[in-house]
Amino acid sequence: IEIQEIGVDLLPRYAEIPISFKVKSVFRIEAIDKGLGGFLLIEEKVAHYTKNYDSIEENGESGPIGWTKRFDVSKWGFFLAFDGPHTVGGATVAIDTPGVNMLEDREDLAVLWDIRVHPDERRHGIGSRLFKHAADWAKQKGCKQLKIETQNINVSACRFYTKQGCELGAIHQYGYAGCPDVAHEAMLLWYLEL
């Protein structure tokens, strides 16, 4: 597996890598003493369904192709993982971008904007290699932390981020309340010290 930094001209190839996954369980968030005693994440099985982040539209755009239309991506890092001629994964890191609220107006914070591995190639260590490559890139750019957003419906991603050394820094139960299609999901924010 070879990981290469790419330009925006290869985002259509990046977008060909499916990001969808099967939801089989979720983390139910239980507030202890109305949150004063902390929170518990309790895994519960659910009726299976497929989640596809690329199908979520914002301002008429969806997926990697829409990023360049919505944001100034001139400082972002885009990476593809290749197995010979085959594209098997990708990762994107956002840094120092006005209008990206996840960056919290911090110049020392990077956001793992996206990470994806082709379904046929999952569970072979490609995601871990992409994650490390993205974190190393952010550190080389002077960032002190890497921030990642996921949801309580993506249990495997939560486990993946803890395996990579990330710490759950925030639970926002109502983070998607303004988006009816995903209002039932809770926002989970993970952080990695670089």
Side-chain angles (χ1 to χ4, degrees), residues 86-170:
H86 304 289
T87 310
V88 294
T92 298
V93 180
I95 61 171
D96 192 20
T97 308
V100 175
N101 295 334
M102 285 212 19
L103 287 168
E104 304 170 18
D105 290 323
R106 289 175 51 189
E107 292 182 6
D108 67 339
L109 180 66
V111 170
L112 183 64
W113 192 260
D114 183 82
I115 187 167
R116 57 184 65 207
V117 175
H118 192 284
D120 297 340
E121 303 295 334
R122 292 177 185 165
R123 308 230 185 280
H124 294 108
I126 296 167
S128 294
R129 290 190 55 195
L130 279 164
F131 184 91
K132 182 177 181 343
H133 195 88
D136 289 347
W137 181 87
K139 186 174 183 175
Q140 290 171 1
K141 297 292 182 184
C143 296
K144 306 280 188 234
Q145 275 187 324
L146 181 66
K147 179 180 179 181
I148 306 106
E149 176 183 345
T150 193
Q151 296 73 37
N152 65 320
I153 56 105
N154 199 343
V155 172
S156 61
C158 294
R159 290 204 169 97
F160 172 79
Y161 295 129
T162 58
K163 185 178 176 187
Q164 304 311 309
C166 299
E167 182 175 305
L168 183 59

Side-chain angles (χ1 to χ4, degrees), residues 22-40:
K22 292 251 188 252
V23 176
K24 299 177 182 178
S25 63
V26 301
F27 282 126
R28 179 173 53 83
I29 298 168
E30 185 175 302
I32 301 168
D33 191 22
K34 301 215 182 274
L36 292 176
F39 295 89
L40 288 176

